[in-house]
Amino acid sequence: MSADLVIIVTGILVAVPCALLGTLLVLRQMAMVGDAISHAVLPGIVLAFFISGSLGPLTALAGAGVFGVLTAVLIQALRDTGRVREDSSIGIVFTALFALGVFLISKFASSVHLDLEHVLYGEIAYAPINPLVVGGTYLGPRTFWTLGIVTVLAAGLVLALYKELKVSTFDPALATALGLSPALVHYLLMGAVSVTVVGAFDAVGAILVVAFLIVPPAAAYLVTERLSHMMLVAVLLGTVSAVAGYYLAAALDVAIAGAMTVVAGGLFALAALLSPAHGLLAHAARRYRSRRAFARELVLARLAALGGSAPEEELARALGWERRELARTLRSAARGGLVETAGGEVRVRRARSGAGRERRRGRSTARWPGWR
Amino acid sequence: MPEILHELVFDYTIRNVALGSAILGVAGGVLGCFAVLRRQSLMGDALAHATLPGVCVAFMLSGSRASVWLLLGAAVSAWIGALVILAIVRGTRIKQDAALGIVLSVFFGAGVVLLTAIARSGAAGQSGLDRFLFGQAASLIWPDVVTMGALAGAALLAVAVLFKEFKLLAFDPAFAASLGYPVRVLDVLLTSLIVVAVIVGIQAVGVVLVVALLIIPAASARQWTDRLSVMVLISALFGAASGVAGALISASGANLPTGPLIVLVATGIFLLSLVTGRRRGLLWSFLRDRRAAPEGLR
């Protein structure tokens, strides 16, 4: 298998579990937990190094896994004291554990080769040159195995507990009433996130994991209303980021993980701007349309108060508007068949048919419930 | 110990490190109170990571490692990151936690891309990233300390002048808006001051640990009081104490990194506050519950 393909597949194997679990994290407003875990596992890696005397991939993974779950437990315990809010609790736990890890490395391991940057910011470009060899048999790139297992675990959790995850994410009280345990679901999810973060950052580095956990699900959240769709869209966006990011990095000769992150960020920006339901442009357009509609309603109301017709100048004075603003509103009202202007005199137009009147009233009352 | 105190006054390096850490502790402690109360503890995390592309661009443009340019670049890009976070939270239905995560990871990823571009041109090695991530308190020189002091002083002055406004913003932004305060402007201003605190800290303790100094002293101080003004003072005190203690411990032996020690001292203060804090200490409520419990349940 070519080196390009190994890297791309590795990227996708990070994107898929991250998208599935990240969707749940984003919906539960726990997006920063992935970032916290990716830093907090450092002392686990260092301790595993002390105990085993070497930094094999499995020892590091085991140490990091233990500390990943420990981080989730500590965050929850600190929050449950009722003395600290969730965001502070996350911040305190992960910075303290990270400080402990850096301290342990400097104090006890500075003479040993323990490359901090590589541990934390693993390099996806090394994926093709790290094969898994068991008993002399070549079994393919190591990342395929670690990340393949992670992907199967994450997908298995989501498929097996889809209903439970969904209910406890959107309505924890209902989940409890139904006899499910939101706490158990929470710890299962945290465990899965820990395994994913740990399994993935060894291969691709912490930034890419955090980015894939948060950015594609957040973009998906802007374009869909269903949990299952959100997961699928997030998986798709993550995959696109991995593939496009690789080629971007190859074209510009820059860091691959960074380029994948940047592509994911670009996709999010597109979603934030262009999403038909929740995008910034759609919002602005909706605001503009309702402002115009409100202006038309004001003109109609004022005209009605003036007896159904009035000279344009008088109308502008009564409204306290600029003439230009009034003219603009009158044009749009005339297009909608609401008013007609003849020789400077503005008049409310009678509806030609019952249907037209209904349509107009329906439109009006739908937008301005309190307006008659 | 007296020896250490003697060195604190007369040793150039130790004095710089201790003073710089104390400045950072005060700035982080004071601004952290507002971040913690507004549930924006992790804002500092996102902004600290968001400084990286700015540092790279500043380096590319100026071609120098002069810390003024790099700090300026860091500030500008963190500030842009802050505006993006505010825009995402206000303009879309994405919640704050995800907005922070997006800015953190995308800005940092962009920074790494720029960094590799710089490394390829042969101008700077990975060592830059190392220092950026983990800080190097021991390399602080007197002009660095003066810059940190000036920045922190300006930020503290702004907090002092706008204390009432920031207090309202922290506890009841809707009420502040109804009183006619420019809530959005204040929001941006307070976030900008957090950027300043981050900038002050990055050089000394690095990206991750500067976050700790924005959260931990404030969360500790919260255990001792229900008044914001008192909380700010206690938090500043805790921050400064952690800074000085961390610097001194790290000076007392070999291979003791300053940044992590500052954070570990701050964490110790936090745990102590959590258990024994005057207003809300866990120990006191435990004892109260025991006294209140009927005889048979003890």
Side-chain angles (χ1 to χ4, degrees):
Chain A
M1 191 183 267
S2 74
D4 311 9
L5 202 56
V6 171
I7 294 175
I8 291 174
V9 172
T10 300
I12 293 173
L13 285 176
V14 176
V16 171
C18 283
L20 293 174
L21 300 174
T23 297
L24 295 164
L25 290 184
V26 166
L27 288 172
R28 289 164 167 250
Q29 302 192 29
M30 290 168 34
M32 294 299 279
V33 166
D35 177 54
I37 289 178
S38 70
H39 289 92
V41 295
L42 185 60
I45 298 173
V46 181
L47 289 176
F49 174 74
F50 288 156
I51 292 168
S52 74
S54 73
L55 195 64
L58 280 181
T59 14
L61 218 58
V66 170
F67 267 74
V69 177
L70 181 70
T71 306
V73 172
L74 282 178
I75 290 173
Q76 191 66 28
L78 194 52
R79 205 184 70 163
D80 286 347
T81 63
R83 264 53 173 191
V84 182
R85 291 215 192 97
E86 172 145 33
D87 59 324
S88 300
S89 159
I90 294 174
I92 293 169
V93 170
F94 97 81
T95 54
L97 286 174
F98 185 78
L100 184 65
V102 179
F103 169 74
L104 288 175
I105 291 181
S106 323
K107 179 67 186 156
F108 302 109
S110 58
S111 54
V112 195
H113 181 72
L114 186 59
D115 188 348
L116 200 55
E117 248 171 67
H118 183 69
V119 170
L120 263 187
Y121 300 94
E123 177 56 71
I124 193 172
Y126 297 154
I129 55 170
N130 273 328
L132 183 73
V133 180
V134 177
T137 325
Y138 171 72
L139 293 173
R142 203 177 76 212
T143 54
F144 285 16
W145 287 93
T146 49
L147 293 173
I149 293 170
V150 165
T151 305
V152 169
L153 277 178
L157 178 79
V158 168
L159 286 178
L161 294 180
Y162 185 75
K163 222 170 39 231
E164 286 78 2
L165 287 167
K166 186 173 177 177
V167 177
S168 67
T169 297
F170 289 107
D171 195 342
L174 177 65
T176 312
L178 290 173
L180 307 172
S181 166
L184 182 65
V185 173
H186 170 80
Y187 281 117
L188 276 176
L189 180 61
M190 286 298 101
V193 171
S194 303
V195 171
T196 305
V197 167
V198 170
F201 86 28
D202 175 49
V204 302
I207 341 152
L208 190 57
V209 187
V210 176
F212 275 173
L213 269 175
I214 304 175
V215 183
Y221 187 48
L222 292 173
V223 294
T224 169
E225 312 292 332
R226 289 182 66 94
L227 178 60
S228 52
H229 294 181
M230 187 174 159
M231 284 184 173
L232 291 177
V233 173
V235 166
L236 185 73
L237 291 175
T239 306
V240 170
S241 311
V243 177
Y246 176 76
Y247 287 109
L248 180 70
L252 300 177
D253 189 19
V254 291
I256 298 167
M260 289 178 175
T261 309
V262 169
V263 172
L267 291 174
F268 172 80
L270 279 182
L273 280 179
L274 303 179
S275 158
H278 305 287
L280 292 171
L281 288 182
H283 267 253
R286 241 189 330 267
R287 254 203 316 277
Y288 175 80
R289 276 200 303 274
S290 52
R291 212 167 42 230
R292 303 305 325 159
F294 188 61
R296 286 196 297 271
E297 303 284 337
L298 277 181
V299 165
L300 277 186
R302 186 61 66 181
L303 266 181
L306 293 171
S309 73
E312 210 174 317
E313 272 164 61
E314 193 190 331
L315 188 57
R317 209 165 34 243
L319 285 162
W321 286 5
E322 300 272 335
R323 284 295 296 273
R324 211 168 42 161
E325 171 66 16
L326 179 63
R328 193 160 83 145
T329 307
L330 285 178
R331 273 198 304 278
S332 84
R335 266 199 307 279
L338 299 173
V339 298
E340 55 198 357
T341 313
E345 179 86 3
V346 187
R347 178 179 304 125
V348 179
R349 225 174 124 185
R350 303 257 166 244
R352 261 166 304 185
S353 67
R357 189 183 299 154
E358 274 315 303
R359 190 168 55 86
R360 210 181 300 156
R361 186 187 295 153
R363 194 195 278 165
S364 160
T365 51
R367 261 196 209 123
W368 309 107
W371 190 267
R372 288 289 177 275
Chain B
M1 201 57 195
E3 202 181 320
I4 279 286
L5 290 180
H6 183 267
E7 283 176 354
L8 177 63
V9 183
F10 295 106
D11 184 290
Y12 178 79
T13 309
I14 296 179
R15 196 180 53 203
N16 282 346
V17 174
L19 205 54
S21 308
I23 290 169
L24 168 60
V26 171
V30 170
L31 289 163
C33 287
F34 296 98
V36 164
L37 290 172
R38 300 178 71 211
R39 306 184 185 214
Q40 290 186 335
S41 302
L42 297 170
M43 181 68 98
D45 193 14
L47 299 186
H49 284 85
T51 54
L52 184 56
V55 172
C56 295
V57 170
F59 178 76
M60 285 165 139
L61 290 183
S62 74
S64 81
R65 280 170 179 276
S67 74
V68 177
W69 287 111
L70 300 190
L71 281 184
L72 193 66
V76 169
S77 97
W79 197 66
I80 293 173
L83 294 185
V84 172
I85 291 169
L86 295 176
I88 291 176
V89 172
R90 252 193 232 120
T92 74
R93 63 170 178 167
I94 304 276
K95 310 291 184 302
Q96 169 141 309
D97 61 314
L100 293 176
I102 290 164
V103 165
L104 183 155
S105 55
V106 174
F107 273 62
F108 197 76
V112 171
V113 165
L114 290 172
L115 211 58
T116 43
I118 293 175
R120 190 160 40 91
S121 68
Q126 287 288 92
S127 60
L129 180 61
D130 203 34
R131 183 178 167 173
F132 176 76
L133 289 174
F134 304 109
Q136 245 168 12
S139 71
L140 284 182
I141 52 172
W142 182 245
D144 291 337
V145 176
V146 172
T147 312
M148 288 169 78
L151 285 171
L156 293 183
L157 189 68
V159 171
V161 170
L162 293 171
F163 189 75
K164 183 182 59 185
E165 284 78 3
F166 286 160
K167 186 176 176 178
L168 255 180
L169 187 68
F171 289 109
D172 199 342
F175 181 55
S178 74
L179 289 180
Y181 285 105
V183 172
R184 284 186 178 197
V185 177
L186 288 172
D187 198 1
V188 171
L189 197 62
L190 189 52
T191 312
S192 310
L193 292 179
I194 293 178
V195 170
V196 173
V198 167
I199 301 298
V200 167
I202 275 186
Q203 225 184 346
V205 297
V207 164
V208 180
L209 299 181
V210 74
V211 180
L213 290 175
L214 275 168
I215 305 175
I216 302 182
S220 312
R222 180 71 188 89
Q223 310 306 320
W224 295 92
T225 177
D226 288 333
R227 289 185 60 88
L228 180 64
S229 50
V230 182
M231 180 179 164
V232 166
L233 291 178
I234 298 180
S235 178
L237 185 71
F238 283 169
S242 313
V244 174
L248 290 186
I249 298 173
S250 111
S252 69
N255 290 333
L256 292 171
T258 314
L261 277 167
I262 295 174
V263 175
L264 290 176
V265 171
T267 308
I269 295 178
F270 169 72
L271 291 176
L272 204 66
S273 306
L274 192 63
V275 175
T276 62
R278 194 173 70 87
R279 298 290 301 178
R280 309 153 28 114
L282 291 176
L283 183 64
W284 312 139
S285 37
F286 173 73
L287 292 177
R288 206 163 42 236
D289 292 351
R290 257 179 70 98
R291 264 203 305 279
E295 196 67 33
L297 289 178
R298 273 184 200 172

